[in-house]
């Protein structure tokens, strides 16, 4: 694993030079954060380091026999992402590449869901639904990680946190035969990401690109399904909680675009990291905040594996309520779409509640209220102008009257003349 990390550390600068030569570059535009051309396709270094370790490392347990088919499916996804980084293909073309990789994982690697055990209901054999559910699972998690790749080091850091949590759960809770191989695969992939991470954290010198984001999402979906052949409720909820940040961002992006009458595949600047930046977070602060959210989800996933079924269900309900409250506060769906906040305001604000329950009384109070409304600003301005115009006119009239008034000199009386004499 240490050799894997060093290998990724050495390969990343070489991939950076290759990206400029083949045109895998992110140029600045209205949607992107970068202000200068940045080399993309950095995930190629992670894939090469991981593939070498899986195929040529751990010869004692013949790991290549298990990981060979997985590497083949990952190669299809990496090729799809690399083509997109160079030529920017359409969403349906990218989806087609992921579906091909998912079909390879189902039919060749043998990674699939056969049954699901639901609490209080029992075991449910999927039958022919096994294939579509497996494809949906891989597509959903792959695109979720791809959508969150919008800031320096974001997707890589969230993947490290999520994979480490899955590795811990795999080591302690899966059967011994499955846990050894799965744990080695997980932490080897973590080592490969950590070798690339110093170049990708803010300020980044190279991006994951779709090459890396699709690869990480695909590998997380494949690894999370290792113990899902006979899936239980907790084995399904655990990876969904661990990847709570990208999954939440994806789900609310779909809801937001539906409300705004946009295509689900259309791009916007309302993702979780965009909202944090618009609220005044710095680039590094937004990334660290999302890391903290990912850690919270990971701790909840760990607690679920120790909790009883009723406690687990209560934990999920509380998590969903807290998450919805956070989403509404940052306005991820829209600043005017806050159903939970509206309910809390209805319960906690008496006047708001009375206005909602009795709108007629509110209208009646407004009608009976005495008219103490001051004159409008326009009327006040008109009165001021009238007074201002009248004042000089009155002053002028007064001065004119004073000027027109004749000067009268009083003649001295007879008594005054006698006194003078």
């Amino acid at each position: 694993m240490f050799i894997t990390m060093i290998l990724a550390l050495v390969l990343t600068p070489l991939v950076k030079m290759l990206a400029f030569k083949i045109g895998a570059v992110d140029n600045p535009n209205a949607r992107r954060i970068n202000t200068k051309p940045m080399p993309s396709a950095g995930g190629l270094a992670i894939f090469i380091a991981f593939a070498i370790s899986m195929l040529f490392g751990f010869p004692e347990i013949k790991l290549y026999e298990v990981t060979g088919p997985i590497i083949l499916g990952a190669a299809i996804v990496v090729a799809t992402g690399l083509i997109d980084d160079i030529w920017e293909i359409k969403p349906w073309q990218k989806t087609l590449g992921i579906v091909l990789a998912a079909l390879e994982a189902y039919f060749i690697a043998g990674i699939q869901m056969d049954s699901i055990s639901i609490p209080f209901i029992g075991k449910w054999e999927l039958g022919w639904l096994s294939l579509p559910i497996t494809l949906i699972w891989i597509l959903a998690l792959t695109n979720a990680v791809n959508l969150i790749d919008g800031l320096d080091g974001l997707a890589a850091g969230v993947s490290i946190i999520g994979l480490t949590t899955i590795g811990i759960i795999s080591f302690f809770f899966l059967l011994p035969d499955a846990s050894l191989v799965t744990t080695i695969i997980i932490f080897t992939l973590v080592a490969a990401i950590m070798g690339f991470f110093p170049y990708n954290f803010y300020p980044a010198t190279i991006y994951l690109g779709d090459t890396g984001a699709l690869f990480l999402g695909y590998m997380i979906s494949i690894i999370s399904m290792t113990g899902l052949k006979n899936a239980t409720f907790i084995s399904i909820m655990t990876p969904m909680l661990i990847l709570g940040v990208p999954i939440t961002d994806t789900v609310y992006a779909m809801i937001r675009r539906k409300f705004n009458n946009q295509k689900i595949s259309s791009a916007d600047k309302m993702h979780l990291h965009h909202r944090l930046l618009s609220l005044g977070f710095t680039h590094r602060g937004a990334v660290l905040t999302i890391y903290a959210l990912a850690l919270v989800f990971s701790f909840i996933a760990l607690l679920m594996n120790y909790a009883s079924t009723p406690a687990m269900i209560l934990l999920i309900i509380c998590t969903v309520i807290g998450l919805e409250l956070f989403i509404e506060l940052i306005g991820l769906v829209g600043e005017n779409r806050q159903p939970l906040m509206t309910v809390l305001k209805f319960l906690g604000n008496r006047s708001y509640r009375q206005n909602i329950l009795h709108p007629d009384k509110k209208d009646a109070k407004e009608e009976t209220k005495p008219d103490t409304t001051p004159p409008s600003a326009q009327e006040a301005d008109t009165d001021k102008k009238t007074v201002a115009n009248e004042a000089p006119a009155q002053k002028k009239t007064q001065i004119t009257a004073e000027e027109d008034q004749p000067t009268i000199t009083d003649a001295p009386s007879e008594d005054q003349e006698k006194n003078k004499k």
Side-chain angles (χ1 to χ4, degrees):
M1 293 178 188
F2 178 75
I3 292 173
T4 304
M5 184 175 66
I6 297 300
L7 190 58
L9 196 67
V10 173
L11 283 172
T12 302
L14 301 177
V15 171
K16 180 180 177 180
M17 292 187 292
L18 177 65
F20 278 117
K21 288 185 178 181
I22 64 177
V25 178
D26 275 355
N27 293 306
N29 59 32
R31 284 189 56 245
R32 293 194 169 101
I33 304 296
N34 56 303
T35 56
K36 62 179 182 179
M38 290 288 293
S40 188
L44 194 60
I46 300 174
F47 170 71
I48 294 173
F50 174 72
I52 290 173
S53 295
M54 290 293 98
L55 297 176
F56 302 104
F58 308 98
E60 302 85 1
I61 58 174
K62 297 182 180 180
L63 193 62
Y64 59 88
E65 294 180 354
V66 178
T67 58
I70 296 175
I71 295 298
L72 178 59
I76 297 173
V77 170
V78 168
T80 304
L82 186 60
I83 293 171
D84 185 60
D85 285 332
I86 299 173
W87 291 291
E88 205 164 329
I89 59 178
K90 295 179 180 179
W92 70 266
Q93 295 171 323
K94 198 160 33 174
T95 302
L96 179 61
I98 300 171
V99 169
L100 289 175
L103 291 173
E104 189 279 336
Y106 185 89
F107 290 107
I108 299 176
I111 297 172
Q112 55 190 246
M113 289 189 198
D114 291 336
S115 62
I116 298 177
S117 297
I118 304 174
F120 312 114
I121 296 177
K123 190 175 182 180
W124 177 36
E125 295 291 339
L126 294 177
W128 64 271
L129 290 173
S130 175
L131 177 59
I133 289 177
T134 302
L135 293 180
I136 291 171
W137 181 272
I138 294 174
L139 273 170
L141 295 190
T142 303
N143 279 300
V145 175
N146 186 36
L147 284 177
I148 203 173
D149 184 30
L151 297 180
D152 297 357
L154 184 55
V158 170
S159 297
I160 289 174
I161 294 170
L163 284 167
T164 302
T165 309
I166 295 174
I168 294 170
I169 293 172
S170 170
F171 185 76
F172 287 104
F173 295 100
L174 285 184
L175 295 175
D177 294 338
S179 67
L180 176 63
V181 174
T182 306
T183 306
I184 290 174
I185 294 172
I186 291 171
F187 285 107
T188 303
L189 182 56
V190 170
I193 302 172
M194 291 180 68
F196 169 80
F197 191 72
Y199 301 97
N200 187 234
F201 191 67
Y202 182 81
T205 58
I206 186 171
Y207 288 162
L208 269 175
D210 277 11
T211 306
L214 292 178
F215 168 64
L216 292 181
Y218 177 79
M219 286 305 303
I220 290 172
S221 67
I222 294 297
I223 290 169
S224 65
M225 289 182 63
T226 305
L228 297 186
K229 191 174 183 65
N230 297 307
T232 61
F233 179 74
I234 190 169
S235 63
I236 292 174
M237 290 304 302
T238 296
M240 292 181 68
L241 274 172
I242 291 171
L243 296 176
V245 171
I247 289 175
T248 300
D249 196 27
T250 303
V251 170
Y252 279 91
M254 295 169 65
I255 295 172
R256 179 176 63 249
R257 290 164 187 169
K258 184 68 176 177
F259 283 155
N260 295 332
N261 296 321
Q262 297 175 340
K263 293 182 179 179
I264 293 178
S265 59
S266 62
D268 58 21
K269 294 191 70 173
M270 285 288 290
H271 289 286
L272 178 59
H273 50 277
H274 291 131
R275 291 302 304 160
L276 292 177
L277 291 175
S278 67
L279 291 173
F281 283 68
T282 62
H283 194 121
R284 189 189 298 266
V287 172
L288 294 177
T289 300
I290 297 176
Y291 285 174
L293 289 174
L295 284 171
V296 170
F297 279 112
S298 295
F299 283 127
I300 293 172
L302 288 171
L303 286 174
M304 280 182 57
N305 286 272
Y306 287 100
S308 61
T309 301
M312 180 177 60
I313 295 173
L314 182 61
L315 188 62
I316 293 172
I317 293 173
C318 293
T319 303
V320 170
I321 292 174
L323 180 62
E324 174 64 22
L325 187 60
F326 172 77
I327 292 302
E328 291 184 10
L329 287 173
I330 66 171
L332 192 61
V333 178
E335 295 180 357
N336 297 325
R337 297 187 178 98
Q338 299 175 318
L340 183 57
M341 290 291 293
T342 303
V343 171
L344 294 177
K345 186 177 179 181
F346 180 83
L347 296 174
N349 190 325
R350 184 179 179 183
S351 59
Y352 177 79
R353 183 170 61 252
Q354 289 179 345
N355 292 336
I356 295 296
L357 295 175
H358 307 289
D360 297 337
K361 292 183 178 180
K362 179 184 176 183
D363 296 337
K365 286 182 180 179
E366 290 179 353
E367 290 176 0
T368 56
K369 187 184 292 185
D371 188 11
T372 57
T373 306
S376 63
Q378 185 176 359
E379 292 174 353
D381 291 341
T382 305
D383 294 342
K384 288 180 181 178
K385 289 179 182 178
T386 305
V387 172
N389 291 333
E390 288 177 356
Q394 291 177 355
K395 187 175 182 181
K396 185 175 180 182
T397 304
Q398 184 178 358
I399 293 171
T400 305
E402 289 177 355
E403 289 177 353
D404 294 342
Q405 186 176 359
T407 304
I408 301 173
T409 304
D410 295 336
S413 59
E414 294 180 356
D415 294 336
Q416 289 176 347
E417 290 291 336
K418 288 180 181 181
N419 292 332
K420 281 183 180 180
K421 290 179 180 181

